[in-house]
Amino acid sequence: MAIQYSCRLAMEIVLALCILVLLNSSASSAARLLVNKEQVRRRHLVENGLGETPPMGWSSWNHFGCDVNESLVRETADAMVSTGLAALGYQYINLDDCWAELNRDSEGNMVPKASTFPSGIKALADYVHNKGLKLGIYSDAGNQTCSKRMPGSLGREEQDAKTFASWGIDYLKYDNCENLGISVKQRYPPMSEALSKTGRPIFLSMCVWGWEDPAIWGKTVGNSWRTTRDIVDNWNSMTSIADSNDRWASYAGPGGWNDPDMLEVGNGGMSTEEYRSHFSIWALAKAPLLVGCDIRAMDDTTHELISNAEVIAVNQDKLGIQGKKVKSNNDLEVWAGPLSGNKIAVVLWNRSSSNATVTASWSDLGLEPGTTVDARDLWEHSTQSSVSGEISANLDSHACKMYVLTPNNS
């Protein structure tokens, strides 16, 4: 009996060990599958060639809200070309909320709103493409979009991605309303995978409002991620959003960008100097440059601000490192970041309520004390040679100066 018991016990121990090995192997396999899935998704986003630099274009929401139609989109595409903005890199014409009927068709497909988009989205995409531009569209990782005037894509990701691809869509802004309380980390990857399966390169802009720190995980899912709440066309909103976005600077780079929301330049809520600061900081921070005004009717000042090729070049620099706040003292700030060719982009920014001098010393910028630079003023389009030790500017309230510093060869 003792021998039989010992044998049975030994067999049970061996069996238990085998089960443990199998379970461990299964868990390892599952873990490997998850890792491989993430690697495949990440590799797709890198290899689809999108977002190598921050996207540039126009979005309908900030100025028009739900008052959108196909004529507006066509005329905006025309204006993007005729104003010279397209030649500067503004390529996406992005249609935001309210383009679809509230109800899907009998096969469950999204349907363009008949009263405002009678020709359909495919015809609109063809028109935009014929201008050498790209068309963006909007949906939501919830049951409905934020306007509650059209359906969201939650649970319909593959069907909607196929629809968008069949229409020739190039960019998807994917919002976060009516989300049933489900984590963004659960709701956004299915659309990423669905877009990938279509075989069409579609830039995925995740409008997650900064929920669950998207900068940390966003690059495995989309090409950009909102780090903040929605921008409003005023100084306090713009500056607070700049600060909120700044903390995530180290996570941005080619293929995936921090998104502090669209540009308000030209919409009338800020002064020219405030808009200049807005555009300068967004450019330095490698934010998407998505114009939010009516470019069909913009004034000369607005055109001058958003068409500054030297400022745009900082945003589109191939090194792709987000500039950040490096010094702050009583609302007198220095923002800076490296550019290719060992250059440095610098913004001196007076956020105080009165005139003041803002100074960036070489130690603030990581330059050796004896270094001399040529300082290119990107708004004045002038160059100061052989600057050493620091760079300063006397600035009106809420104004800025933006420079590219090129170190002289020793």
Side-chain angles (χ1 to χ4, degrees):
M1 287 291 292
I3 294 173
Q4 288 179 335
Y5 177 78
S6 297
C7 289
R8 188 165 63 250
L9 182 61
M11 290 177 64
E12 288 174 353
I13 290 171
V14 169
L15 181 60
L17 287 171
C18 288
I19 291 170
L20 284 171
V21 168
L22 286 170
L23 287 172
N24 185 58
S25 174
S26 176
S28 297
S29 297
R32 281 195 300 272
L33 283 172
L34 287 172
V35 170
N36 288 340
K37 196 173 185 182
E38 287 299 307
Q39 289 172 341
V40 167
R41 185 189 297 145
R42 187 180 297 113
R43 187 162 62 247
H44 166 74
L45 288 170
V46 170
E47 291 179 355
N48 68 11
L50 300 175
E52 288 302 304
T53 59
M56 296 175 60
W58 171 88
S59 174
S60 62
W61 184 257
N62 282 3
H63 189 86
F64 295 97
C66 278
D67 189 16
V68 290
N69 57 65
E70 63 183 40
S71 295
L72 166 65
V73 177
R74 287 197 184 98
E75 290 167 10
T76 299
D78 294 345
M80 193 68 90
V81 175
S82 65
T83 58
L85 293 177
L88 289 167
Y90 292 95
Q91 61 175 340
Y92 290 104
I93 305 293
N94 292 344
L95 184 56
D96 210 285
D97 203 350
C98 308
W99 61 267
E101 298 286 3
L102 178 59
N103 298 312
R104 294 171 179 267
D105 68 16
S106 59
E107 296 179 347
N109 296 310
M110 278 191 176
V111 181
K113 196 170 182 179
S115 61
T116 49
F117 294 89
S119 304
I121 304 300
K122 176 66 167 65
L124 197 57
D126 290 344
Y127 185 91
V128 169
H129 291 157
N130 286 337
K131 292 283 179 181
L133 303 169
K134 297 181 178 181
L135 184 67
I137 209 164
Y138 170 97
S139 189
D140 188 284
N143 284 344
Q144 289 184 326
T145 63
C146 295
S147 69
K148 299 185 181 181
R149 298 189 189 185
M150 54 177 279
S153 294
L154 185 63
R156 301 269 195 165
E157 292 87 359
E158 288 206 14
Q159 184 172 14
D160 290 350
K162 287 178 182 176
T163 297
F164 300 151
S166 72
W167 288 342
I169 293 300
D170 305 292
Y171 182 114
L172 173 64
K173 177 182 173 183
Y174 203 39
D175 219 334
N176 195 25
C177 289
E178 305 303 311
N179 54 55
L180 307 182
I182 303 169
S183 166
V184 291
K185 294 180 183 178
Q186 289 179 251
R187 287 182 288 110
Y188 279 76
M191 180 56 82
S192 174
E193 292 161 9
L195 293 173
S196 178
K197 286 179 183 177
T198 69
R200 180 174 181 81
I202 299 176
F203 187 106
L204 178 55
S205 169
M206 303 188 298
C207 189
V208 294
W209 312 334
W211 283 17
E212 299 183 56
D213 300 338
I216 295 173
W217 51 269
K219 209 166 189 176
T220 65
V221 183
N223 296 110
S224 69
W225 44 86
R226 272 279 297 282
T227 54
T228 69
R229 64 188 183 278
D230 289 359
I231 195 170
V232 180
D233 186 20
N234 64 60
W235 171 257
N236 288 336
S237 173
M238 183 271 286
T239 53
S240 64
I241 280 178
D243 291 340
S244 296
N245 184 65
D246 182 53
R247 65 181 291 217
W248 303 109
S250 63
Y251 293 92
W257 306 100
N258 292 318
D259 178 9
D261 207 1
M262 299 164 288
L263 293 164
E264 291 283 9
V265 181
N267 279 329
M270 288 183 260
S271 69
T272 297
E273 290 306 324
E274 288 170 345
Y275 279 141
R276 193 190 315 279
S277 296
H278 178 19
F279 193 72
S280 298
I281 293 295
W282 261 236
L284 183 86
K286 303 298 188 290
L289 296 182
L290 298 173
V291 178
C293 68
D294 184 356
I295 63 171
R296 303 171 305 170
M298 62 180 165
D299 59 25
D300 291 343
T301 300
T302 299
H303 182 265
E304 179 187 353
L305 290 175
I306 65 175
S307 66
N308 187 322
E310 294 189 78
V311 175
I312 290 169
V314 170
N315 180 262
Q316 296 292 298
D317 183 75
K318 298 298 183 184
L319 191 60
I321 295 178
Q322 179 173 327
K324 57 187 179 181
K325 188 188 302 188
V326 298
K327 181 181 180 181
S328 181
N329 182 20
N330 296 324
D331 288 330
L332 307 182
E333 297 186 351
V334 178
W335 293 59
L339 302 174
S340 53
N342 294 317
K343 298 179 181 181
I344 300 173
V346 180
V347 174
L348 306 180
W349 194 10
N350 178 10
R351 287 170 60 164
S352 76
S353 57
S354 57
N355 181 282
T357 296
V358 182
T359 301
S361 66
W362 275 193
S363 60
D364 298 326
L365 306 176
L367 288 170
E368 293 296 324
T371 304
T372 62
V373 304
D374 291 339
R376 177 68 175 177
D377 186 323
L378 304 190
W379 289 108
E380 295 294 333
H381 305 296
S382 62
T383 302
Q384 188 178 350
S385 300
S386 300
V387 180
S388 62
E390 64 181 30
I391 188 165
S392 293
N394 185 264
L395 298 169
D396 290 335
S397 173
H398 296 182
C400 77
K401 282 278 193 180
M402 188 171 190
Y403 301 94
V404 167
L405 307 184
T406 304
N408 301 135
N409 294 327
S410 55

